[in-house]
Amino acid sequence: MFQLFSVKNTINFLRHAAPISILSMVLVVASFGSLAIKGINWGLDFTGGTVVEVEFSKPVDLNELRGKLTSVETNGAVVQNFGSSRDILVRLPVVADVKSDVQASAVMAAAQSIDESVIQKRVEFVGPQVGKELSEQGGLAVIVALICILIYVSFRFEWRLAAGSVAALAHDVIVTLGIFSFFQLEFDLTVLAGLLTVVGYSLNDTIVVYDRIRENFLKIRKGTPEEVVNQSITQTMSRTVITTGTTLIVVAALFLKGGTMIHGFATALLCGIFVGTYSSIYVASYLAIKLGINREHMMPVEIEKEGADQPSMMP
Amino acid sequence: MLNKYPMWKNLMVILIIAIGGFYAIPNLFGEDHAVQVVATRGAEVTASTQATVTDLLESKGIAVKRSELENGQLLVRVSNADQQLLAKEAIADGLGDKFTVALNLAPATPQWLEALGGSPMKLGLDLRGGVHFLMEVDMGEAIRKMEEAKIADFRSQLREEGIRYAGVRKTPRGIEVKFRDAETVAKAERFLKTRSNDMVYTDGSSGDDHVLVAQMSDVYLKQIKEEALQQNITTIRNRVNELGVAEPVVQRQGAERIIVELPGVQDTARAKEILGATASIEFRMVDDKADPAAAANGRVSAASEVYQRRGGGIAVLQKQVMLTGDHITGAQPTFDEYSRPQVAINLDAKGGSIFSNVTKDNIGKPMATLFIEYKDSGVRNPDGSVKMTKIEEVISVATIQARLGRNFVITGLEHKEAQSLALLLRAGALIAPVTIVEERTIGPSLGAENIENGMQAMIFGLAIVLVFMLIYYRAFGFIANLALLANLVMVVGVMSMIPGAVLTLPGIAGMVLTVGMAVDGNVLIYERIREELLAGRSVQQAIHEGYANAFSTIADANITTFMTALILFAVGTGAVKGFAVTLMIGIATSMFTAIVGTRSIVNALWGGKRLKTLSI
């Protein structure tokens, strides 16, 4: 039996918790700062407008295409490469009094003047009111998700732990948003899906640690809460490293091979997995300790320890 | 005995995985190139059509793989894309214009599998190309129409009852009916309450103004909106069928939106024209008492309106609508004895009886056909919605010669107009105009590229994870890998089984993620077993404790992830929903395979045996 992460003695994770949690706070504040100053580079799904994706038969100079997109219909066009130097994405904002298909055909006309055999791969038009609804719904989804989790964890564990997990999740969401804002990465629907998956993943991680904390509080009669938490984190570290590793591998595969349309999704997950793993220790567990979690809080909770061999487990 | 599953439990595991695997099989067969034949213009696809088509193709030397007649449409499978095109042309030429012939791809699932309910996963538009529209119904217009109908009702009801009123009109407060004195107001209120109880009446009198205000009740408003949406969905569905698109999706979203998905369609302009055209007709009596000179200046009685006539001139029509296009069941372009184009109309029973009553009472009087069309003006409102212009034109004025029944003709049209009016009437009029608020077109090449990319990512990620697990956990890693593969097969199987589930690009991402996260369950268990072994437990004890202790952790972790997926599903649209569905299915199946599935293998291999060491 060989182990990637072999630990004989308990690691004192919480020794550095205070400075690291300050770093976390700085990150959160910086994220808020970036969100306030730079804002989010909302994608088409949220802003409304028209997107045209075209494929040229040979590499094309973006500036040449930009130069051709100067008519009223194509005012404010954003031109960027999309995957390769032959694939180009043109984003057009909603222009009053101009129809979206007029915009799309103006883009195609400009593209054809550069390369006759250009192919129109995708056209999307989203009305601004749909976009507005979406961003409201998206924000609502994240908040509802957090509340549901708060209720579930309070019910299954204890309110201090629930507060810790929700703080960790909010932290992950804010920092990931901050990263998207700072680097001005496009935030579209798939990124929102990615963000919610981060919530799920990070929670997964937190729950695994919490579960062990609860178990250890009941099992270890001596020792301060810090010692119990340290021991729990150490014991679950091996699993955390492996699961994070395998998930990172597949998400990296998505990022590299999944194609440009789910790039945003993969990016959100890549950030979220890092942030989420670390926050389950330095935000979730640390906050629970700061809130004064101790052995007595764990006593009244009903725990289903058995189950692996109980008939009730069968679907 | 420790670590022994009873026989039924093992059988259950095998059965569940086998069912999942069975329903995943149809995905292996790919698709056949096919030609789809749908009837239009009152024709019908029957067994004889099928025979004709088979003969047609045989004479051209095109081999038919399979030909199916189902739900009034014919699907002919051929062996490749070239033959498909040839077949389409041959059938279209041979059958004439009473049928729509379209290219299609049909799942090549063998018939015995199909008979057992097996069908492959349905692919979303982002994976196979096509057009997606999100349409919004103009509820304001639907309500306005109902208000107009109410105003006409009030007039005729009050007249019938002999209650004298000074005027009925629409105001911001609601529909206002003016009376001479307060007594009549009270009388009218009592009477109208019994006749139109879907309105809320209030006495809006002030000073010498004796006014009864009628407003639509909330329940009635909701009902109008619901009906407008339902009717528009039916109409759009009819029109999509006329377009001859294979496997179209027409479904409601929320209170006033409709989603339309047309796989394989690339010509969006044509699709939009047909879907969005809101043409309707109304039959109204001509106000023959109107003074032509005054009418030219727009001065007519309160019960009449001035309309433009097609080809110049004006016509004064009564406001009251005798019959609307809603009652039309059939419409065909035909020619009269002088070869002038006309449209032959069939009405439903209710429309027929209304029409026969009205025409009986008005023999010798002129009746007008008013053509109403809403067109996208190309201009947007400040909120971004598309402004619609309403075009109203009198297309014919004819003197009623005799009592008309359920079948009659409309004349006074150009040839092309007669054809398009017939098409629109046949497909039903949209009760309220619709605007396209979202439109996505995905080229077929992009769809194929998306699938390829997604699959590559999945295989790449999966391969690394499988190798890692095998090296790290050895025999147990091998079992976990089996569980992982079984899990993927089950996700595909369940996706194929659920009728509404559609695989989208984010859905593939969801599956990839399932691969990454599904190993978590096994990692938790295996790490626990290792810990127990290190703590000096016996092998059997360690296995037992490992599974038992990890269970509550796995359950808690998965339930919370499931909750976020559920929320995603509830608020998400199209693509995000697709992701949420695969994630939810993945969580459910991975819990099963990781906990119960691997346990039954572990138990069968090592359970109850005296072992010193374990390959973990």
Side-chain angles (χ1 to χ4, degrees), chain B residues 143 147 150 154 169-177 192 196-203 212-221 224:
Chain B
I143 291 166
E147 275 171 349
K150 274 288 168 206
F154 281 171
R169 64 194 181 101
K170 164 92 188 91
T171 67
R173 286 205 285 179
I175 299 170
E176 284 188 4
V177 193
L192 286 177
S196 305
N197 62 357
D198 36 21
M199 305 289 278
V200 179
Y201 302 92
T202 41
D203 193 335
L212 182 67
V213 182
Q215 278 174 313
M216 295 187 171
S217 65
D218 291 344
V219 178
Y220 187 47
L221 272 178
I224 292 173

Side-chain angles (χ1 to χ4, degrees), chain A residues 37-52:
Chain A
I37 297 163
K38 291 188 146 186
I40 286 180
N41 178 15
W42 295 107
L44 171 81
D45 298 320
F46 295 100
T47 58
T50 306
V51 154
V52 185

Side-chain angles (χ1 to χ4, degrees), chain B residues 490-511:
Chain B
M490 281 174 73
V491 172
V492 172
V494 174
M495 285 287 288
S496 308
M497 254 187 277
I498 300 176
V502 177
L503 184 70
T504 57
L505 183 61
I508 294 182
M511 280 195 199

Side-chain angles (χ1 to χ4, degrees), chain B residues 143-208:
Chain B
I143 291 166
R144 203 189 59 77
K145 266 193 179 178
M146 291 311 291
E147 275 171 349
E148 267 177 20
K150 274 288 168 206
I151 289 174
D153 278 356
F154 281 171
R155 284 207 181 96
S156 62
Q157 283 168 2
L158 289 171
R159 206 163 36 225
E160 269 170 39
E161 189 66 11
I163 301 174
R164 290 167 63 89
Y165 62 92
V168 187
R169 64 194 181 101
K170 164 92 188 91
T171 67
R173 286 205 285 179
I175 299 170
E176 284 188 4
V177 193
K178 267 194 174 178
F179 297 94
R180 295 265 161 72
D181 49 54
E183 266 167 65
T184 336
V185 174
K187 194 177 162 200
E189 185 177 346
R190 273 198 305 280
F191 166 69
L192 286 177
K193 256 185 193 159
T194 60
R195 296 295 287 267
S196 305
N197 62 357
D198 36 21
M199 305 289 278
V200 179
Y201 302 92
T202 41
D203 193 335
S205 307
S206 64
D208 277 347

